[in-house]
Amino acid sequence: MKVLVIGGGAREHALCRSLSLDPDVSALYCAPGNAGIAEVAELRPVDALDGDAVARLATELGAGLVVVGPEAPLVAGVADAVRAAGIPVFGPSAEAARLEGSKAFAKDVMAGAGVPTARSYVCTTPAEVDEALDAFGAPYVVKDDGLAAGKGVVVTDDRAAARAHALACDRVVIEEFLDGPEVSLFAITDGVTVLPLQPAQDFKRALDGDEGPNTGGMGAYSPLPWADPKLVDEVMASVLQPTVDELRRRGTPFSGLLYAGLAITSRGVRVIEFNARFGDPETQVVLARLRTPLAGVLLNAALGTLDAEPPLSWREDAAVTVVIASHNYPETPRTGDPIEGLAEVAAEDAPEAYVLHAGTRRDGDAVVSAGGRVLSVTATGSDLAQARERAYKAVARIRLAGSQYRTDIAARAAEGR
């Protein structure tokens, strides 16, 4: 099978890496890709938001499967255009992708499905914002209703800051604060059958100790030794399957990757948010642990035959990802800086540790930074402590002027806390 992956970040590099190791994949393409993806897939230029252009490219390549990575193309209807061209595609329709594209829509679906989530208000005027902030009190949770690349959420005790963020958005969801640790759980679905993956935890704040501004994610780990062994079954029964069933009932079946961001609160599991695609950086650690070849699972989801797929097989290994970000991320990041040390990681640390590229590009013979999150250094080990040690050993080899990374990814979990 020939596979075309759409996107150019570390999530897509992780997907391409797994697909490149699948014996059923005869040719692998990525559009537009990045400097790292070029090592495992053939890159093609494309406007990832142009569904017709993506469909034409897939037709020209003879692709038997298209995997749409990022959220923006899904919300823009790229998967619909590829389906209309008669090509199997892993990714929901634009209508179903509203589950991520509109937090208000997601709340409505959760209400219809009986899914546990935070109480919330949808606000469009200053008066509504003030009323909602007063109703819940601090800590204030304010979410831009639309796509914001993982940076549209403000959680703060500062009412003025919360109000300012709310008024800067056309439409916001203001909700009660959920206590307890956060968990990411992905599920592959064809709109009927739901196949859960292993849970992961990511780190949203820029700085150690969960300080600093929200980011798209600074690292992740899996498995979660502190989590209830029944967590996946519970979330399947109370969140994932009911949501898929509700969307099908509404006439907008969800086929692709359903991502549930969860809070394990003192009152039980609550949904923080849904995403309509693989999460970044959690994908990096989840796929590092997946033993089942990926292409067939994604194809069965695209074809509506996921019920024929046996249970997924997982490695016992733990995995840790540390994100290296550019200077001034998550504000206006500096780009164009040379990245050194990649060959050293490949020579000294592989296969237990490897580098997945996020914001990179080639500049002659050099690889340079081209975004806020630049690299995801990923490692596996017999437990989280070993995986963590290997990841940071590889991180230390990377040289990127002004770069930053967190030093505490998976630290508490590795210590059994």
Side-chain angles (χ1 to χ4, degrees), residues 348-372:
E348 301 292 335
D349 303 306
E352 290 82 11
Y354 49 89
V355 179
L356 298 168
H357 291 228
T360 70
R361 63 177 174 82
R362 282 223 161 260
D363 184 4
D365 292 335
V367 175
V368 301
S369 60

Side-chain angles (χ1 to χ4, degrees), residues 77-159:
V78 168
D80 302 88
V82 176
R83 277 194 194 92
I87 300 169
V89 57
F90 183 81
S93 66
E95 274 292 302
R98 289 179 65 206
L99 203 61
E100 177 170 4
S102 167
K103 292 176 179 62
F105 175 76
K107 288 288 188 182
D108 188 58
V109 170
M110 283 188 265
V115 168
T117 187
R119 293 179 297 122
S120 63
Y121 294 100
V122 179
C123 306
T124 56
T125 68
E128 289 173 347
V129 167
D130 289 337
E131 185 178 347
L133 292 174
D134 290 342
F136 290 130
Y140 303 101
V141 182
V142 183
K143 300 180 176 181
D144 190 335
D145 180 55
L147 293 180
K151 297 186 282 290
V153 179
V154 165
V155 181
T156 178
D157 289 322
D158 184 337
R159 190 183 190 281

